[in-house]
Amino acid sequence: MRWTGGEERPVLRLRYRTDVLDAACAKRIAGYHLTALRLMTADVDAGHTERSLLDDDEVREQLEGFAGPHRPLPDARAHELFERRAREHPEAVAAVRGDREWTYGELNARANRLARALLARGVGREDVVAVVTERDLDWLAATLAVFKAGVCTCRSSRTSPPAGSRRPCPGPAAAWC
């Protein structure tokens, strides 16, 4: 992006990769920049939280147009839909990471074992657990287990808990997974 033109009327020129953006998207992005400049120069002391780069049409497009057609929600929760698929296609590949792959049957069995282990440790409905692992197949199994056990998860990483801590997440019954 660069400005050209004289001092009386600057022109914003936007260059973009046509293999990434179409003309309509590039025009929308240029519009955000122009709106931001208009807002900044209209009242330099106004707070940014009271302003929006989006006009009413753009808000409607963001909320409704980009969302695609309205579809009814399934009659089951995510892990129940997964279990249904695992029953229907237990030998089909469910997930692949690098050279590892798990079938729906394998992933469902691992998630069930982890869910039972959480419940056996006294974790109850809506308690909070931390899934501390890399984003790999084990993470996927642990996340499904959290859903199956009916508990909540908090964002965590291998380095986030303090040394010796067994309660990395808020809540009275926080646990590690």
Side-chain angles (χ1 to χ4, degrees):
M1 195 173 341
R2 67 185 171 132
W3 289 95
T4 61
E7 289 194 20
E8 33 331 300
R9 186 156 193 252
V11 176
L12 175 66
R13 297 206 185 274
L14 176 68
R15 294 178 55 195
Y16 62 96
R17 290 181 39 193
T18 56
D19 61 323
V20 177
L21 300 175
D22 61 20
C25 186
K27 183 178 179 180
R28 214 172 41 251
I29 292 169
Y32 300 153
H33 288 278
L34 291 172
T35 301
L37 290 169
R38 267 192 232 93
L39 291 171
M40 288 188 299
T41 56
D43 184 0
V44 296
D45 295 323
H48 73 280
T49 58
E50 299 159 14
R51 302 171 176 196
S52 176
L53 298 179
L54 309 179
D55 60 23
D56 291 341
D57 290 337
E58 179 71 12
V59 169
R60 192 170 23 267
E61 179 70 14
Q62 293 281 336
L63 296 177
E64 297 170 12
F66 292 150
H70 177 74
R71 296 181 185 157
L73 292 174
D75 62 344
R77 294 172 287 190
H79 66 282
E80 293 167 338
L81 293 172
F82 177 83
E83 288 171 345
R84 186 181 305 164
R85 178 61 62 114
R87 279 191 306 275
E88 294 169 357
H89 307 284
E91 297 305 316
V93 174
V96 177
R97 175 69 185 239
D99 60 350
R100 294 174 64 196
E101 66 178 41
W102 287 350
T103 65
Y104 280 96
E106 291 169 325
L107 181 53
N108 195 45
R110 289 171 189 265
N112 285 341
R113 280 195 300 273
L114 283 171
R116 284 192 296 272
L118 285 170
L119 295 171
R121 289 189 175 124
V123 175
R125 292 227 174 266
E126 298 186 22
D127 282 345
V128 180
V129 298
V131 176
V132 184
T133 184
E134 301 300 321
R135 293 276 176 121
D136 56 13
L137 297 180
D138 294 318
W139 173 85
L140 183 57
T143 300
L144 277 169
V146 166
F147 292 156
K148 289 171 178 262
V151 298
C152 303
T153 185
C154 70
R155 181 181 265 180
S156 187
S157 70
R158 292 181 189 270
T159 58
S160 67
S165 173
R166 297 296 293 167
R167 290 197 180 294
C169 300
W176 288 98
C177 179

